[in-house]
């Protein structure tokens, strides 16, 4: 019996020694490439993307690394960001949807004038529409986050006193909806000017102003060039999808996938909207503190005229698809209107 006990004890000691000598199997590491066509200094990259990167590392116990490639360092141009994800060049991309019209449809509802009042409300409402299955073209994509940058306002290099003074003014626009809006207000829409070239075009007097969300005036280099700001005519928002490749997501190891599950959708959308709204508040305060900047409020008569002509933009949008009436109703519901 004593010999048997000694044998058992020896076996247990040997097994324990073997366990101690065998290293634990480490969780597989994963890296996701995140492409942005905008500079590293934008609030989306400097604050929101950084928060995502840090939170992903924390939630995954350091097994998920997200690498940011800002300023088009993977491939430049907002119009190619969707293709980067679809082709597997990037796992995540900041995709400006008006740059690729017809590819992802339905979220342009938020480009309609007067619908959104902040980045946050439009972003969360957009996410709600995606989750309701109302948005086409999302095959192979997961909405890591959404942004409705805006609302957009008219910013000018020279003053105007009324809506009539916009006639003939050349305004830089982004996308087909903004082109219609500007044309119906009597101004001349100018497209094909990237945000990075906006300041040069203003400086050379090639354009008189632009539709810009106020928070991005300094990001686009025109904060001290466009000094007259129409403040009471919101002209829609600009949809940006932070799309994650479904294939990249499915290939993630368990801890990394669990981290993304906690971050995708509402968490990152809220982070993006919060930081953009904070940037807008900071820029407005900066403009208000400067004697060089002037705020223009159109008269009630002018606002009535604007709403009347811009209603045609909505009617035209509704006529483009049988689904659009349902999408607009869902957007109003998501915004609490």
């Amino acid at each position: 019996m004593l010999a048997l006990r000694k044998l058992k004890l020896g076996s247990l000691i040997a097994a324990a020694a073997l366990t101690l000598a065998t290293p634990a199997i480490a969780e597989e590491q994963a890296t996701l490439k995140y492409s942005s066509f905008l500079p590293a200094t934008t609030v989306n990259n400097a604050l929101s993307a950084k928060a995502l990167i840090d939170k992903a590392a924390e939630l995954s116990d350091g097994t998920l690394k997200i690498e940011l490639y800002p300023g088009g360092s993977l491939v430049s141009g907002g119009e190619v960001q969707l293709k980067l994800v679809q082709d597997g060049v990037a796992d995540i991309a900041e995709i400006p949807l008006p740059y690729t019209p017809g590819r992802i449809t339905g979220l342009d509802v938020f480009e309609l004038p007067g619908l959104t009042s902040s980045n946050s409300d439009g972003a969360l409402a957009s996410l709600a529409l995606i989750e309701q299955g109302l948005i086409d073209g999302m095959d192979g994509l997961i909405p890591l986050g959404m942004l409705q940058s805006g609302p957009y306002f008219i910013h000018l290099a020279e003053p105007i006193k009324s809506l009539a003074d916009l006639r003939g003014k050349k305004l830089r626009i982004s996308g087909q909806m903004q082109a219609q809006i500007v044309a119906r207000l009597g101004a001349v829409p100018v497209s094909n000017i990237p945000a990075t070239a906006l300041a040069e075009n203003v400086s050379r007097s090639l354009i008189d102003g632009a539709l810009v969300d106020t928070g991005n005036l300094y990001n686009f280099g025109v904060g001290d060039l466009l000094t007259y700001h129409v403040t009471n005519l919101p002209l829609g928002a600009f949809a940006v999808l932070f799309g994650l490749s479904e294939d990249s997501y499915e290939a993630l190891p368990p801890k990394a996938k669990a981290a993304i599950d906690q971050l995708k959708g509402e968490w990152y959308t809220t982070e993006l909207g919060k930081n953009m709204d904070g940037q807008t508040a900071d820029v407005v305060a900066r403009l208000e503190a400067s004697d060089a900047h002037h705020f223009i409020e159109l008269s009630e008569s002018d606002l009535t005229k604007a709403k009347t002509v811009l209603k045609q933009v909505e009617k035209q949008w509704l006529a483009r698809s049988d689904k659009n009436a349902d999408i607009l109703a869902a957007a109003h519901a998501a915004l609490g209107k």
Side-chain angles (χ1 to χ4, degrees):
M1 290 291 292
L2 181 60
L4 183 58
R5 287 196 193 101
K6 285 182 178 179
L7 180 60
K8 286 183 176 178
L9 182 59
S11 298
L12 289 170
I13 292 171
L18 181 61
T19 301
L20 290 172
T22 304
I25 298 174
E27 175 84 15
E28 186 182 349
Q29 302 287 307
T31 300
L32 296 175
K33 291 183 177 180
Y34 181 148
S35 173
S36 170
F37 66 105
L38 294 174
T41 52
T42 63
V43 69
N44 290 343
N45 289 331
L47 295 183
S48 301
K50 184 181 184 304
L52 176 72
I53 290 166
D54 292 345
K55 198 69 174 175
E58 174 193 329
L59 293 174
S60 68
D61 294 330
T63 62
L64 176 58
K65 181 180 182 182
I66 298 177
E67 294 179 343
L68 178 65
Y69 293 83
S73 50
L74 278 181
V75 177
S76 63
E79 70 281 358
V80 298
Q81 298 303 307
L82 176 58
K83 186 169 173 55
L84 282 188
V85 177
Q86 292 173 331
D87 291 349
V89 177
D91 303 294
I92 303 165
E94 182 176 4
I95 305 166
L97 296 186
Y99 286 21
T100 53
R103 301 289 291 278
I104 295 174
T105 58
L107 287 174
D108 57 345
V109 64
F110 297 99
E111 295 178 43
L112 293 172
L115 199 58
T116 63
S117 58
S118 73
N119 297 283
S120 294
D121 69 350
L124 290 168
S126 298
L127 192 63
L129 266 59
I130 294 172
E131 291 172 346
Q132 291 170 40
L134 292 169
I135 306 306
D136 292 333
M138 292 292 295
D139 297 345
L141 289 171
I142 292 170
L144 182 63
M146 265 306 306
L147 188 62
Q148 287 291 347
S149 182
Y152 272 53
F153 291 95
I154 297 170
H155 303 272
L156 299 153
E158 299 293 337
I160 62 166
K161 293 181 179 179
S162 68
L163 200 61
D165 293 339
L166 281 176
R167 186 161 300 278
K169 296 284 188 188
K170 297 187 291 294
L171 302 180
R172 182 261 187 182
I173 54 90
S174 296
Q176 298 172 353
M177 188 87 77
Q178 288 190 5
Q180 291 180 51
I181 290 169
V182 164
R184 288 192 178 275
L185 291 176
V188 179
V190 180
S191 59
N192 299 321
I193 298 177
T196 51
L198 186 53
E200 178 187 355
N201 279 265
V202 174
S203 296
R204 295 173 58 192
S205 299
L206 297 176
I207 55 175
D208 301 297
L211 263 63
V212 181
D213 55 309
T214 304
N216 270 322
L217 282 171
Y218 286 99
N219 285 335
F220 297 161
V222 292
D224 293 321
L225 297 175
L226 300 178
T227 55
Y228 294 88
H229 315 280
V230 178
T231 60
N232 61 341
L233 183 62
L235 294 175
F238 185 94
V240 183
L241 169 69
F242 294 79
L244 167 64
S245 163
E246 196 171 83
D247 289 342
S248 297
Y249 168 77
E250 293 297 342
L252 290 173
K255 280 190 176 181
K257 185 180 282 189
I260 290 295
D261 286 341
Q262 294 181 67
L263 298 174
K264 64 183 174 72
E266 186 174 346
W267 187 89
Y268 197 39
T269 297
T270 300
E271 189 72 19
L272 288 159
K274 174 190 71 176
N275 289 328
M276 283 292 287
D277 284 337
Q279 174 182 256
T280 299
D282 289 345
V283 170
V284 169
R286 182 173 175 179
L287 299 179
E288 288 176 341
S290 169
D291 291 337
H293 288 272
H294 310 276
F295 298 95
I296 299 165
E297 286 199 0
L298 296 175
S299 68
E300 287 299 321
S301 174
D302 271 348
L303 289 178
T304 300
K305 290 177 186 175
K307 288 176 182 177
T308 299
V309 298
L310 293 177
K311 195 69 178 175
Q312 297 305 311
V313 175
E314 180 181 305
K315 287 182 178 179
Q316 192 169 350
W317 181 83
L318 286 167
R320 289 215 312 259
S321 169
D322 292 340
K323 291 182 64 175
N324 281 357
D326 290 338
I327 291 171
L328 181 57
H332 280 296
L335 290 165
K337 292 190 174 184

